Amino acid sequence: MGSKEAESAVSVSDATEVAAVDLGSNSFHMIIARPEDNGLRMVDKLRESVRLAAGLDSDKRLSEAARERALACLERFGQRVRELPAGSVRAVGTNTLRQSRNARRFLREAEAALGHPIQIVSGYEEARLIYLGVAHSIADDDARRLVMDIGGGSTEFIIGEHFIPREMESLHMGCVSATRRHFPDGAITEERLRKAELAARRELEPIADRYRRLGWDRAIGASGTIRAIERCLRTNGWTESGIDPAGLDHLRRALVKAGHVDRLKLDGVNADRAEVLPGGFAVLMGAFRQLGLTRMEAADGALREGLLFDLIGRIRHEDVRSASILAMARRYHADSEQARRVATLAEYLRAEVADDWSLGGNAARDMLGWAAQVHEIGLDISHSQYHKHGEYIVRHSDLAGFSREEQLVLATLVRAHRRKFPRSAFRDLPEDWEKPAMRLAVLLRIAVGLHRARSDEPLPAVDLRASGRKLTVAFPARWLDENALVEADLGEEAAYLEAAGFRLKIERS
């Protein structure tokens, strides 16, 4: 269910090492660290240029060559982390896999190569993780920071303070995509640089005014492209430290003088980075001009470091996903008492059938609890079809900490908690979630039905047994006699579930 992560939880004492894998649009990165009482100690870092974005064709499908490069890299990464415990490796895909139409097939192969689950994260979640990585890599102070990360296919801009991001955006421009679009044959001219920079400024235009109004004290660059440019400016004597407009002008002249990426020979820039430097430079230059930047420092932390600190938070039960769910429930005025009733009963029912229905992992427990907390948020729009409104809200909201797959599962559970069971919706879920999510939906439906009265009056002892698609729920006979409405509701629910291939049997004990 989402993987091995569903099967077991990892405690800090169990995991002597943890790892993060970033399947970026240009490069794949992996870092390995050892958890310590006061944080993490990095023990290994690996990077390979895979150029995944360059393998995305006009139909948004990964080419065979790109797929093979990626899988070969993940096989090598897997040799290092395959034996680490389930839940101790966090791997994510970013912009290129967000766009790819055949990403699901690739992910199955990629997970087999790495030996651990891989999730695709939204641009919003990518921005949050980048900021988390940067915040842990620099001294904590009271300064408001603007963090910029130029990836292969997207560029993230985050304003934050301390460890908390306040504003986040992910824009559709990156070093690979900009290079492919504006320098397709590798030739570099002043006119091409001007057009590429203008395109970057246009992409920034909708957010620039809002960001400038918020303001910042420090501008920090987090990506390999920005670090390479800063290193290049410093090595060539074009700046003492950091990136400034004068240094960027020197680099612009050097790019035009070279005339082609094949002839780029710049101290501080390796051959792999040089291939996508024109596009990366144009994105950075566009940001300097559109945002009015005068200086940017380069930080070591980025997405992969953010992944590690987020993973440690989950291991230590400081999961940002739970905070996101609570915030969503409050925003849409969900009845917290009803959510508590439903969540408590749903968890009791899950525990009853956990072994028979293979729902014993933390992933199943958490997903069911989150769904119970937000199952009524659609009521804030309209009572009619509110389960469908709730599904839309969950599916299309920015939920910090959630992968796209997790958000889809959660939205489907909200959709399925009442009325006709949407069996076809579960077929759109990742394969390893389809059956568990259907079973969780059944349990959620029963919990919602038994608390239809919205009362704190305690329910009797409920005995639930599962076998395949058959569920047997037993109540004290006298209680059912005294609660005819509940018995009628359960009868109606049995009819809904029968149409979906489940059999719900009511017994008197």
Side-chain angles (χ1 to χ4, degrees), residues 421-445:
F421 195 94
R423 191 171 180 179
S424 61
F426 292 87
R427 300 192 187 107
D428 295 331
L429 300 182
E431 184 178 346
D432 49 1
W433 262 113
E434 183 178 348
K435 183 184 289 186
M438 289 183 73
R439 291 172 169 177
L440 291 177
V442 171
L443 299 178
L444 180 61
R445 292 171 71 95

mmCIF file with all atom_site columns, all heavy atoms in Angstrom, residues 421-445:
data_model
loop_
_atom_site.group_PDB
_atom_site.id
_atom_site.type_symbol
_atom_site.label_atom_id
_atom_site.label_alt_id
_atom_site.label_comp_id
_atom_site.label_asym_id
_atom_site.label_entity_id
_atom_site.label_seq_id
_atom_site.pdbx_PDB_ins_code
_atom_site.Cartn_x
_atom_site.Cartn_y
_atom_site.Cartn_z
_atom_site.occupancy
_atom_site.B_iso_or_equiv
_atom_site.pdbx_formal_charge
_atom_site.auth_seq_id
_atom_site.auth_comp_id
_atom_site.auth_asym_id
_atom_site.auth_atom_id
_atom_site.pdbx_PDB_model_num
ATOM 1   N N   . PHE A 1 421 ? -21.370 3.499  -3.984  1.00 0.00 ? 421 PHE A N   1
ATOM 2   C CA  . PHE A 1 421 ? -19.942 3.212  -3.854  1.00 0.00 ? 421 PHE A CA  1
ATOM 3   C C   . PHE A 1 421 ? -19.272 3.376  -5.222  1.00 0.00 ? 421 PHE A C   1
ATOM 4   O O   . PHE A 1 421 ? -19.588 2.640  -6.164  1.00 0.00 ? 421 PHE A O   1
ATOM 5   C CB  . PHE A 1 421 ? -19.741 1.782  -3.339  1.00 0.00 ? 421 PHE A CB  1
ATOM 6   C CG  . PHE A 1 421 ? -18.357 1.504  -2.838  1.00 0.00 ? 421 PHE A CG  1
ATOM 7   C CD1 . PHE A 1 421 ? -18.055 1.645  -1.492  1.00 0.00 ? 421 PHE A CD1 1
ATOM 8   C CD2 . PHE A 1 421 ? -17.353 1.091  -3.698  1.00 0.00 ? 421 PHE A CD2 1
ATOM 9   C CE1 . PHE A 1 421 ? -16.788 1.375  -1.009  1.00 0.00 ? 421 PHE A CE1 1
ATOM 10  C CE2 . PHE A 1 421 ? -16.083 0.826  -3.237  1.00 0.00 ? 421 PHE A CE2 1
ATOM 11  C CZ  . PHE A 1 421 ? -15.792 0.969  -1.877  1.00 0.00 ? 421 PHE A CZ  1
ATOM 12  N N   . PRO A 1 422 ? -18.339 4.332  -5.371  1.00 0.00 ? 422 PRO A N   1
ATOM 13  C CA  . PRO A 1 422 ? -17.751 4.640  -6.689  1.00 0.00 ? 422 PRO A CA  1
ATOM 14  C C   . PRO A 1 422 ? -16.628 3.665  -7.055  1.00 0.00 ? 422 PRO A C   1
ATOM 15  O O   . PRO A 1 422 ? -15.448 4.020  -7.069  1.00 0.00 ? 422 PRO A O   1
ATOM 16  C CB  . PRO A 1 422 ? -17.225 6.056  -6.510  1.00 0.00 ? 422 PRO A CB  1
ATOM 17  C CG  . PRO A 1 422 ? -16.820 6.094  -5.061  1.00 0.00 ? 422 PRO A CG  1
ATOM 18  C CD  . PRO A 1 422 ? -17.794 5.210  -4.323  1.00 0.00 ? 422 PRO A CD  1
ATOM 19  N N   . ARG A 1 423 ? -16.998 2.458  -7.361  1.00 0.00 ? 423 ARG A N   1
ATOM 20  C CA  . ARG A 1 423 ? -15.991 1.411  -7.571  1.00 0.00 ? 423 ARG A CA  1
ATOM 21  C C   . ARG A 1 423 ? -14.964 1.783  -8.643  1.00 0.00 ? 423 ARG A C   1
ATOM 22  O O   . ARG A 1 423 ? -13.772 1.515  -8.499  1.00 0.00 ? 423 ARG A O   1
ATOM 23  C CB  . ARG A 1 423 ? -16.722 0.123  -7.969  1.00 0.00 ? 423 ARG A CB  1
ATOM 24  C CG  . ARG A 1 423 ? -15.838 -1.105 -7.967  1.00 0.00 ? 423 ARG A CG  1
ATOM 25  C CD  . ARG A 1 423 ? -16.681 -2.353 -8.142  1.00 0.00 ? 423 ARG A CD  1
ATOM 26  N NE  . ARG A 1 423 ? -15.867 -3.557 -8.135  1.00 0.00 ? 423 ARG A NE  1
ATOM 27  C CZ  . ARG A 1 423 ? -16.353 -4.777 -8.243  1.00 0.00 ? 423 ARG A CZ  1
ATOM 28  N NH1 . ARG A 1 423 ? -17.662 -4.958 -8.343  1.00 0.00 ? 423 ARG A NH1 1
ATOM 29  N NH2 . ARG A 1 423 ? -15.557 -5.827 -8.228  1.00 0.00 ? 423 ARG A NH2 1
ATOM 30  N N   . SER A 1 424 ? -15.419 2.445  -9.703  1.00 0.00 ? 424 SER A N   1
ATOM 31  C CA  . SER A 1 424 ? -14.498 2.780  -10.795 1.00 0.00 ? 424 SER A CA  1
ATOM 32  C C   . SER A 1 424 ? -13.431 3.774  -10.363 1.00 0.00 ? 424 SER A C   1
ATOM 33  O O   . SER A 1 424 ? -12.322 3.783  -10.904 1.00 0.00 ? 424 SER A O   1
ATOM 34  C CB  . SER A 1 424 ? -15.280 3.349  -11.986 1.00 0.00 ? 424 SER A CB  1
ATOM 35  O OG  . SER A 1 424 ? -15.951 4.541  -11.613 1.00 0.00 ? 424 SER A OG  1
ATOM 36  N N   . ALA A 1 425 ? -13.729 4.619  -9.364  1.00 0.00 ? 425 ALA A N   1
ATOM 37  C CA  . ALA A 1 425 ? -12.752 5.618  -8.925  1.00 0.00 ? 425 ALA A CA  1
ATOM 38  C C   . ALA A 1 425 ? -11.505 4.958  -8.350  1.00 0.00 ? 425 ALA A C   1
ATOM 39  O O   . ALA A 1 425 ? -10.393 5.508  -8.450  1.00 0.00 ? 425 ALA A O   1
ATOM 40  C CB  . ALA A 1 425 ? -13.386 6.540  -7.890  1.00 0.00 ? 425 ALA A CB  1
ATOM 41  N N   . PHE A 1 426 ? -11.664 3.785  -7.765  1.00 0.00 ? 426 PHE A N   1
ATOM 42  C CA  . PHE A 1 426 ? -10.523 3.116  -7.146  1.00 0.00 ? 426 PHE A CA  1
ATOM 43  C C   . PHE A 1 426 ? -9.575  2.530  -8.196  1.00 0.00 ? 426 PHE A C   1
ATOM 44  O O   . PHE A 1 426 ? -8.406  2.284  -7.890  1.00 0.00 ? 426 PHE A O   1
ATOM 45  C CB  . PHE A 1 426 ? -11.007 2.030  -6.183  1.00 0.00 ? 426 PHE A CB  1
ATOM 46  C CG  . PHE A 1 426 ? -11.694 2.587  -4.973  1.00 0.00 ? 426 PHE A CG  1
ATOM 47  C CD1 . PHE A 1 426 ? -13.052 2.860  -4.994  1.00 0.00 ? 426 PHE A CD1 1
ATOM 48  C CD2 . PHE A 1 426 ? -10.982 2.867  -3.823  1.00 0.00 ? 426 PHE A CD2 1
ATOM 49  C CE1 . PHE A 1 426 ? -13.690 3.393  -3.883  1.00 0.00 ? 426 PHE A CE1 1
ATOM 50  C CE2 . PHE A 1 426 ? -11.605 3.401  -2.709  1.00 0.00 ? 426 PHE A CE2 1
ATOM 51  C CZ  . PHE A 1 426 ? -12.971 3.668  -2.737  1.00 0.00 ? 426 PHE A CZ  1
ATOM 52  N N   . ARG A 1 427 ? -10.074 2.331  -9.396  1.00 0.00 ? 427 ARG A N   1
ATOM 53  C CA  . ARG A 1 427 ? -9.197  1.803  -10.457 1.00 0.00 ? 427 ARG A CA  1
ATOM 54  C C   . ARG A 1 427 ? -8.184  2.833  -10.919 1.00 0.00 ? 427 ARG A C   1
ATOM 55  O O   . ARG A 1 427 ? -7.191  2.487  -11.560 1.00 0.00 ? 427 ARG A O   1
ATOM 56  C CB  . ARG A 1 427 ? -10.052 1.334  -11.642 1.00 0.00 ? 427 ARG A CB  1
ATOM 57  C CG  . ARG A 1 427 ? -11.038 0.229  -11.296 1.00 0.00 ? 427 ARG A CG  1
ATOM 58  C CD  . ARG A 1 427 ? -11.655 -0.396 -12.532 1.00 0.00 ? 427 ARG A CD  1
ATOM 59  N NE  . ARG A 1 427 ? -12.719 -1.325 -12.169 1.00 0.00 ? 427 ARG A NE  1
ATOM 60  C CZ  . ARG A 1 427 ? -14.011 -1.083 -12.349 1.00 0.00 ? 427 ARG A CZ  1
ATOM 61  N NH1 . ARG A 1 427 ? -14.397 0.045  -12.913 1.00 0.00 ? 427 ARG A NH1 1
ATOM 62  N NH2 . ARG A 1 427 ? -14.915 -1.974 -11.978 1.00 0.00 ? 427 ARG A NH2 1
ATOM 63  N N   . ASP A 1 428 ? -8.427  4.106  -10.612 1.00 0.00 ? 428 ASP A N   1
ATOM 64  C CA  . ASP A 1 428 ? -7.485  5.157  -10.992 1.00 0.00 ? 428 ASP A CA  1
ATOM 65  C C   . ASP A 1 428 ? -6.364  5.328  -9.979  1.00 0.00 ? 428 ASP A C   1
ATOM 66  O O   . ASP A 1 428 ? -5.439  6.115  -10.196 1.00 0.00 ? 428 ASP A O   1
ATOM 67  C CB  . ASP A 1 428 ? -8.224  6.497  -11.137 1.00 0.00 ? 428 ASP A CB  1
ATOM 68  C CG  . ASP A 1 428 ? -9.221  6.492  -12.283 1.00 0.00 ? 428 ASP A CG  1
ATOM 69  O OD1 . ASP A 1 428 ? -8.976  5.757  -13.259 1.00 0.00 ? 428 ASP A OD1 1
ATOM 70  O OD2 . ASP A 1 428 ? -10.233 7.208  -12.195 1.00 0.00 ? 428 ASP A OD2 1
ATOM 71  N N   . LEU A 1 429 ? -6.443  4.597  -8.869  1.00 0.00 ? 429 LEU A N   1
ATOM 72  C CA  . LEU A 1 429 ? -5.413  4.700  -7.837  1.00 0.00 ? 429 LEU A CA  1
ATOM 73  C C   . LEU A 1 429 ? -4.199  3.860  -8.204  1.00 0.00 ? 429 LEU A C   1
ATOM 74  O O   . LEU A 1 429 ? -4.293  2.940  -9.030  1.00 0.00 ? 429 LEU A O   1
ATOM 75  C CB  . LEU A 1 429 ? -5.970  4.221  -6.496  1.00 0.00 ? 429 LEU A CB  1
ATOM 76  C CG  . LEU A 1 429 ? -7.182  4.976  -5.939  1.00 0.00 ? 429 LEU A CG  1
ATOM 77  C CD1 . LEU A 1 429 ? -7.573  4.395  -4.581  1.00 0.00 ? 429 LEU A CD1 1
ATOM 78  C CD2 . LEU A 1 429 ? -6.902  6.456  -5.820  1.00 0.00 ? 429 LEU A CD2 1
ATOM 79  N N   . PRO A 1 430 ? -3.039  4.163  -7.605  1.00 0.00 ? 430 PRO A N   1
ATOM 80  C CA  . PRO A 1 430 ? -1.884  3.274  -7.799  1.00 0.00 ? 430 PRO A CA  1
ATOM 81  C C   . PRO A 1 430 ? -2.269  1.838  -7.452  1.00 0.00 ? 430 PRO A C   1
ATOM 82  O O   . PRO A 1 430 ? -3.071  1.591  -6.541  1.00 0.00 ? 430 PRO A O   1
ATOM 83  C CB  . PRO A 1 430 ? -0.854  3.837  -6.808  1.00 0.00 ? 430 PRO A CB  1
ATOM 84  C CG  . PRO A 1 430 ? -1.232  5.273  -6.644  1.00 0.00 ? 430 PRO A CG  1
ATOM 85  C CD  . PRO A 1 430 ? -2.726  5.310  -6.751  1.00 0.00 ? 430 PRO A CD  1
ATOM 86  N N   . GLU A 1 431 ? -1.718  0.906  -8.165  1.00 0.00 ? 431 GLU A N   1
ATOM 87  C CA  . GLU A 1 431 ? -2.116  -0.503 -8.052  1.00 0.00 ? 431 GLU A CA  1
ATOM 88  C C   . GLU A 1 431 ? -2.061  -1.015 -6.618  1.00 0.00 ? 431 GLU A C   1
ATOM 89  O O   . GLU A 1 431 ? -2.946  -1.745 -6.168  1.00 0.00 ? 431 GLU A O   1
ATOM 90  C CB  . GLU A 1 431 ? -1.208  -1.347 -8.952  1.00 0.00 ? 431 GLU A CB  1
ATOM 91  C CG  . GLU A 1 431 ? -1.582  -2.813 -9.006  1.00 0.00 ? 431 GLU A CG  1
ATOM 92  C CD  . GLU A 1 431 ? -0.683  -3.602 -9.943  1.00 0.00 ? 431 GLU A CD  1
ATOM 93  O OE1 . GLU A 1 431 ? 0.040   -2.965 -10.744 1.00 0.00 ? 431 GLU A OE1 1
ATOM 94  O OE2 . GLU A 1 431 ? -0.695  -4.837 -9.868  1.00 0.00 ? 431 GLU A OE2 1
ATOM 95  N N   . ASP A 1 432 ? -1.012  -0.629 -5.870  1.00 0.00 ? 432 ASP A N   1
ATOM 96  C CA  . ASP A 1 432 ? -0.871  -1.166 -4.525  1.00 0.00 ? 432 ASP A CA  1
ATOM 97  C C   . ASP A 1 432 ? -1.777  -0.466 -3.512  1.00 0.00 ? 432 ASP A C   1
ATOM 98  O O   . ASP A 1 432 ? -1.801  -0.839 -2.338  1.00 0.00 ? 432 ASP A O   1
ATOM 99  C CB  . ASP A 1 432 ? 0.590   -1.116 -4.048  1.00 0.00 ? 432 ASP A CB  1
ATOM 100 C CG  . ASP A 1 432 ? 1.227   0.244  -4.255  1.00 0.00 ? 432 ASP A CG  1
ATOM 101 O OD1 . ASP A 1 432 ? 0.539   1.155  -4.744  1.00 0.00 ? 432 ASP A OD1 1
ATOM 102 O OD2 . ASP A 1 432 ? 2.416   0.397  -3.926  1.00 0.00 ? 432 ASP A OD2 1
ATOM 103 N N   . TRP A 1 433 ? -2.547  0.527  -3.949  1.00 0.00 ? 433 TRP A N   1
ATOM 104 C CA  . TRP A 1 433 ? -3.521  1.167  -3.075  1.00 0.00 ? 433 TRP A CA  1
ATOM 105 C C   . TRP A 1 433 ? -4.952  0.765  -3.404  1.00 0.00 ? 433 TRP A C   1
ATOM 106 O O   . TRP A 1 433 ? -5.867  0.984  -2.604  1.00 0.00 ? 433 TRP A O   1
ATOM 107 C CB  . TRP A 1 433 ? -3.410  2.695  -3.177  1.00 0.00 ? 433 TRP A CB  1
ATOM 108 C CG  . TRP A 1 433 ? -2.602  3.341  -2.092  1.00 0.00 ? 433 TRP A CG  1
ATOM 109 C CD1 . TRP A 1 433 ? -1.402  3.973  -2.226  1.00 0.00 ? 433 TRP A CD1 1
ATOM 110 C CD2 . TRP A 1 433 ? -2.930  3.435  -0.695  1.00 0.00 ? 433 TRP A CD2 1
ATOM 111 N NE1 . TRP A 1 433 ? -0.962  4.450  -1.010  1.00 0.00 ? 433 TRP A NE1 1
ATOM 112 C CE2 . TRP A 1 433 ? -1.887  4.131  -0.049  1.00 0.00 ? 433 TRP A CE2 1
ATOM 113 C CE3 . TRP A 1 433 ? -4.003  2.977  0.068   1.00 0.00 ? 433 TRP A CE3 1
ATOM 114 C CZ2 . TRP A 1 433 ? -1.885  4.391  1.311   1.00 0.00 ? 433 TRP A CZ2 1
ATOM 115 C CZ3 . TRP A 1 433 ? -3.999  3.244  1.440   1.00 0.00 ? 433 TRP A CZ3 1
ATOM 116 C CH2 . TRP A 1 433 ? -2.957  3.938  2.042   1.00 0.00 ? 433 TRP A CH2 1
ATOM 117 N N   . GLU A 1 434 ? -5.200  0.207  -4.587  1.00 0.00 ? 434 GLU A N   1
ATOM 118 C CA  . GLU A 1 434 ? -6.573  -0.004 -5.040  1.00 0.00 ? 434 GLU A CA  1
ATOM 119 C C   . GLU A 1 434 ? -7.385  -0.846 -4.056  1.00 0.00 ? 434 GLU A C   1
ATOM 120 O O   . GLU A 1 434 ? -8.449  -0.434 -3.576  1.00 0.00 ? 434 GLU A O   1
ATOM 121 C CB  . GLU A 1 434 ? -6.576  -0.665 -6.427  1.00 0.00 ? 434 GLU A CB  1
ATOM 122 C CG  . GLU A 1 434 ? -7.967  -0.850 -6.987  1.00 0.00 ? 434 GLU A CG  1
ATOM 123 C CD  . GLU A 1 434 ? -7.959  -1.453 -8.382  1.00 0.00 ? 434 GLU A CD  1
ATOM 124 O OE1 . GLU A 1 434 ? -6.876  -1.510 -9.003  1.00 0.00 ? 434 GLU A OE1 1
ATOM 125 O OE2 . GLU A 1 434 ? -9.034  -1.875 -8.844  1.00 0.00 ? 434 GLU A OE2 1
ATOM 126 N N   . LYS A 1 435 ? -6.911  -2.039 -3.725  1.00 0.00 ? 435 LYS A N   1
ATOM 127 C CA  . LYS A 1 435 ? -7.672  -2.905 -2.829  1.00 0.00 ? 435 LYS A CA  1
ATOM 128 C C   . LYS A 1 435 ? -7.704  -2.369 -1.396  1.00 0.00 ? 435 LYS A C   1
ATOM 129 O O   . LYS A 1 435 ? -8.782  -2.314 -0.774  1.00 0.00 ? 435 LYS A O   1
ATOM 130 C CB  . LYS A 1 435 ? -7.095  -4.325 -2.850  1.00 0.00 ? 435 LYS A CB  1
ATOM 131 C CG  . LYS A 1 435 ? -7.876  -5.306 -1.983  1.00 0.00 ? 435 LYS A CG  1
ATOM 132 C CD  . LYS A 1 435 ? -7.224  -6.678 -1.942  1.00 0.00 ? 435 LYS A CD  1
ATOM 133 C CE  . LYS A 1 435 ? -7.360  -7.393 -3.281  1.00 0.00 ? 435 LYS A CE  1
ATOM 134 N NZ  . LYS A 1 435 ? -6.836  -8.793 -3.192  1.00 0.00 ? 435 LYS A NZ  1
ATOM 135 N N   . PRO A 1 436 ? -6.559  -1.948 -0.816  1.00 0.00 ? 436 PRO A N   1
ATOM 136 C CA  . PRO A 1 436 ? -6.624  -1.408 0.546   1.00 0.00 ? 436 PRO A CA  1
ATOM 137 C C   . PRO A 1 436 ? -7.544  -0.202 0.663   1.00 0.00 ? 436 PRO A C   1
ATOM 138 O O   . PRO A 1 436 ? -8.269  -0.069 1.655   1.00 0.00 ? 436 PRO A O   1
ATOM 139 C CB  . PRO A 1 436 ? -5.168  -1.030 0.850   1.00 0.00 ? 436 PRO A CB  1
ATOM 140 C CG  . PRO A 1 436 ? -4.349  -1.870 -0.055  1.00 0.00 ? 436 PRO A CG  1
ATOM 141 C CD  . PRO A 1 436 ? -5.166  -2.028 -1.302  1.00 0.00 ? 436 PRO A CD  1
ATOM 142 N N   . ALA A 1 437 ? -7.531  0.686  -0.334  1.00 0.00 ? 437 ALA A N   1
ATOM 143 C CA  . ALA A 1 437 ? -8.368  1.883  -0.260  1.00 0.00 ? 437 ALA A CA  1
ATOM 144 C C   . ALA A 1 437 ? -9.846  1.519  -0.308  1.00 0.00 ? 437 ALA A C   1
ATOM 145 O O   . ALA A 1 437 ? -10.667 2.128  0.398   1.00 0.00 ? 437 ALA A O   1
ATOM 146 C CB  . ALA A 1 437 ? -8.009  2.842  -1.394  1.00 0.00 ? 437 ALA A CB  1
ATOM 147 N N   . MET A 1 438 ? -10.217 0.541  -1.107  1.00 0.00 ? 438 MET A N   1
ATOM 148 C CA  . MET A 1 438 ? -11.616 0.099  -1.131  1.00 0.00 ? 438 MET A CA  1
ATOM 149 C C   . MET A 1 438 ? -12.034 -0.422 0.238   1.00 0.00 ? 438 MET A C   1
ATOM 150 O O   . MET A 1 438 ? -13.132 -0.125 0.731   1.00 0.00 ? 438 MET A O   1
ATOM 151 C CB  . MET A 1 438 ? -11.821 -0.980 -2.192  1.00 0.00 ? 438 MET A CB  1
ATOM 152 C CG  . MET A 1 438 ? -11.739 -0.480 -3.625  1.00 0.00 ? 438 MET A CG  1
ATOM 153 S SD  . MET A 1 438 ? -12.071 -1.786 -4.843  1.00 0.00 ? 438 MET A SD  1
ATOM 154 C CE  . MET A 1 438 ? -13.845 -1.974 -4.645  1.00 0.00 ? 438 MET A CE  1
ATOM 155 N N   . ARG A 1 439 ? -11.180 -1.178 0.875   1.00 0.00 ? 439 ARG A N   1
ATOM 156 C CA  . ARG A 1 439 ? -11.492 -1.727 2.184   1.00 0.00 ? 439 ARG A CA  1
ATOM 157 C C   . ARG A 1 439 ? -11.589 -0.627 3.239   1.00 0.00 ? 439 ARG A C   1
ATOM 158 O O   . ARG A 1 439 ? -12.476 -0.646 4.103   1.00 0.00 ? 439 ARG A O   1
ATOM 159 C CB  . ARG A 1 439 ? -10.440 -2.769 2.569   1.00 0.00 ? 439 ARG A CB  1
ATOM 160 C CG  . ARG A 1 439 ? -10.520 -4.020 1.701   1.00 0.00 ? 439 ARG A CG  1
ATOM 161 C CD  . ARG A 1 439 ? -9.367  -4.970 1.942   1.00 0.00 ? 439 ARG A CD  1
ATOM 162 N NE  . ARG A 1 439 ? -9.615  -6.264 1.283   1.00 0.00 ? 439 ARG A NE  1
ATOM 163 C CZ  . ARG A 1 439 ? -8.758  -7.267 1.265   1.00 0.00 ? 439 ARG A CZ  1
ATOM 164 N NH1 . ARG A 1 439 ? -7.576  -7.134 1.857   1.00 0.00 ? 439 ARG A NH1 1
ATOM 165 N NH2 . ARG A 1 439 ? -9.069  -8.398 0.652   1.00 0.00 ? 439 ARG A NH2 1
ATOM 166 N N   . LEU A 1 440 ? -10.687 0.352  3.159   1.00 0.00 ? 440 LEU A N   1
ATOM 167 C CA  . LEU A 1 440 ? -10.757 1.486  4.087   1.00 0.00 ? 440 LEU A CA  1
ATOM 168 C C   . LEU A 1 440 ? -12.051 2.267  3.884   1.00 0.00 ? 440 LEU A C   1
ATOM 169 O O   . LEU A 1 440 ? -12.668 2.733  4.859   1.00 0.00 ? 440 LEU A O   1
ATOM 170 C CB  . LEU A 1 440 ? -9.553  2.412  3.891   1.00 0.00 ? 440 LEU A CB  1
ATOM 171 C CG  . LEU A 1 440 ? -8.190  1.867  4.315   1.00 0.00 ? 440 LEU A CG  1
ATOM 172 C CD1 . LEU A 1 440 ? -7.098  2.868  3.979   1.00 0.00 ? 440 LEU A CD1 1
ATOM 173 C CD2 . LEU A 1 440 ? -8.155  1.528  5.804   1.00 0.00 ? 440 LEU A CD2 1
ATOM 174 N N   . ALA A 1 441 ? -12.468 2.409  2.628   1.00 0.00 ? 441 ALA A N   1
ATOM 175 C CA  . ALA A 1 441 ? -13.714 3.123  2.342   1.00 0.00 ? 441 ALA A CA  1
ATOM 176 C C   . ALA A 1 441 ? -14.913 2.408  2.964   1.00 0.00 ? 441 ALA A C   1
ATOM 177 O O   . ALA A 1 441 ? -15.825 3.056  3.505   1.00 0.00 ? 441 ALA A O   1
ATOM 178 C CB  . ALA A 1 441 ? -13.903 3.268  0.836   1.00 0.00 ? 441 ALA A CB  1
ATOM 179 N N   . VAL A 1 442 ? -14.928 1.099  2.903   1.00 0.00 ? 442 VAL A N   1
ATOM 180 C CA  . VAL A 1 442 ? -16.018 0.331  3.509   1.00 0.00 ? 442 VAL A CA  1
ATOM 181 C C   . VAL A 1 442 ? -16.070 0.591  5.014   1.00 0.00 ? 442 VAL A C   1
ATOM 182 O O   . VAL A 1 442 ? -17.140 0.828  5.593   1.00 0.00 ? 442 VAL A O   1
ATOM 183 C CB  . VAL A 1 442 ? -15.848 -1.173 3.218   1.00 0.00 ? 442 VAL A CB  1
ATOM 184 C CG1 . VAL A 1 442 ? -16.849 -1.996 4.026   1.00 0.00 ? 442 VAL A CG1 1
ATOM 185 C CG2 . VAL A 1 442 ? -16.028 -1.444 1.723   1.00 0.00 ? 442 VAL A CG2 1
ATOM 186 N N   . LEU A 1 443 ? -14.912 0.566  5.661   1.00 0.00 ? 443 LEU A N   1
ATOM 187 C CA  . LEU A 1 443 ? -14.868 0.804  7.104   1.00 0.00 ? 443 LEU A CA  1
ATOM 188 C C   . LEU A 1 443 ? -15.316 2.224  7.440   1.00 0.00 ? 443 LEU A C   1
ATOM 189 O O   . LEU A 1 443 ? -16.039 2.446  8.426   1.00 0.00 ? 443 LEU A O   1
ATOM 190 C CB  . LEU A 1 443 ? -13.449 0.557  7.628   1.00 0.00 ? 443 LEU A CB  1
ATOM 191 C CG  . LEU A 1 443 ? -12.897 -0.857 7.431   1.00 0.00 ? 443 LEU A CG  1
ATOM 192 C CD1 . LEU A 1 443 ? -11.469 -0.941 7.952   1.00 0.00 ? 443 LEU A CD1 1
ATOM 193 C CD2 . LEU A 1 443 ? -13.781 -1.902 8.108   1.00 0.00 ? 443 LEU A CD2 1
ATOM 194 N N   . LEU A 1 444 ? -14.876 3.194  6.635   1.00 0.00 ? 444 LEU A N   1
ATOM 195 C CA  . LEU A 1 444 ? -15.279 4.581  6.860   1.00 0.00 ? 444 LEU A CA  1
ATOM 196 C C   . LEU A 1 444 ? -16.786 4.737  6.724   1.00 0.00 ? 444 LEU A C   1
ATOM 197 O O   . LEU A 1 444 ? -17.437 5.428  7.521   1.00 0.00 ? 444 LEU A O   1
ATOM 198 C CB  . LEU A 1 444 ? -14.544 5.500  5.885   1.00 0.00 ? 444 LEU A CB  1
ATOM 199 C CG  . LEU A 1 444 ? -14.841 7.002  5.989   1.00 0.00 ? 444 LEU A CG  1
ATOM 200 C CD1 . LEU A 1 444 ? -14.443 7.535  7.367   1.00 0.00 ? 444 LEU A CD1 1
ATOM 201 C CD2 . LEU A 1 444 ? -14.101 7.766  4.891   1.00 0.00 ? 444 LEU A CD2 1
ATOM 202 N N   . ARG A 1 445 ? -17.362 4.088  5.731   1.00 0.00 ? 445 ARG A N   1
ATOM 203 C CA  . ARG A 1 445 ? -18.811 4.156  5.514   1.00 0.00 ? 445 ARG A CA  1
ATOM 204 C C   . ARG A 1 445 ? -19.582 3.612  6.723   1.00 0.00 ? 445 ARG A C   1
ATOM 205 O O   . ARG A 1 445 ? -20.577 4.183  7.165   1.00 0.00 ? 445 ARG A O   1
ATOM 206 C CB  . ARG A 1 445 ? -19.189 3.383  4.253   1.00 0.00 ? 445 ARG A CB  1
ATOM 207 C CG  . ARG A 1 445 ? -18.687 3.998  2.960   1.00 0.00 ? 445 ARG A CG  1
ATOM 208 C CD  . ARG A 1 445 ? -18.919 3.054  1.792   1.00 0.00 ? 445 ARG A CD  1
ATOM 209 N NE  . ARG A 1 445 ? -20.358 2.969  1.472   1.00 0.00 ? 445 ARG A NE  1
ATOM 210 C CZ  . ARG A 1 445 ? -20.956 3.697  0.536   1.00 0.00 ? 445 ARG A CZ  1
ATOM 211 N NH1 . ARG A 1 445 ? -20.258 4.577  -0.169  1.00 0.00 ? 445 ARG A NH1 1
ATOM 212 N NH2 . ARG A 1 445 ? -22.240 3.552  0.290   1.00 0.00 ? 445 ARG A NH2 1
#
